[in-house]
Amino acid sequence: QLQLAESGGDWVQPGGSLTLSCRVSESPLEYYAIGWFRQVPGKEREGVSWISRGGGSTNYANSVKGRSTISRDNAKSTVTLQMNNLTPSDTAIYYCAATRLPIPTFFAGQYDWWGQGTQVTVSS
């Protein structure tokens, strides 16, 4: 059973940066595309970014485009999401998720495995 574990969530001031990591275990990362989602209590889960199974395609939500970078290291079984110039609106629990689809979308139903989430709080 594929397992995902997020890390890197923290409290940061507006304008700061964070690198979130998603470590995959129990199966090689190369078999999966990975998506990052976030959720604020009381709101729907929002797609943030995804990277294709081969790593050649990426996508970002408009809310993070231009200040975020997703990457993958299959040898380390890790996908990272670098986020810069954070604002209070980025405050959420961030989840990574895996799908066997080679190129996914932001539709959460495509993802069969999810991590437990990591909290990101942006405030002064």
Side-chain angles (χ1 to χ4, degrees):
Q1 179 74 6
L2 185 69
Q3 295 187 10
L4 295 88
E6 303 91 341
S7 62
D10 204 347
W11 172 82
V12 295
Q13 293 187 337
S17 298
L18 278 178
T19 298
L20 304 182
S21 295
C22 174
R23 187 153 198 296
V24 171
S25 60
E26 307 303 326
S27 185
L29 175 61
E30 63 192 67
Y31 296 156
Y32 306 93
I34 300 294
W36 281 97
F37 294 78
R38 66 187 182 187
Q39 189 168 24
V40 175
K43 293 189 177 181
E44 289 190 4
R45 191 166 293 190
E46 172 193 18
V48 177
S49 181
W50 56 255
I51 186 165
S52 63
R53 196 167 64 194
S57 296
T58 60
N59 198 14
Y60 300 92
N62 288 334
S63 57
V64 303
K65 192 173 295 183
R67 58 187 184 93
S68 298
T69 303
I70 190 171
S71 61
R72 63 189 295 151
D73 185 337
N74 288 345
K76 296 182 179 179
S77 297
T78 300
V79 172
T80 60
L81 179 67
Q82 170 76 35
M83 300 181 68
N84 302 314
N85 195 22
L86 290 162
T87 71
S89 62
D90 293 313
T91 296
I93 299 174
Y94 283 72
Y95 301 88
C96 63
T99 174
R100 285 193 176 272
L101 294 174
I103 299 178
T105 68
F106 286 132
F107 176 50
Q110 290 183 332
Y111 296 82
D112 294 312
W113 299 273
W114 292 80
Q116 294 299 307
T118 186
Q119 176 71 49
V120 172
T121 302
V122 184
S123 73
S124 53

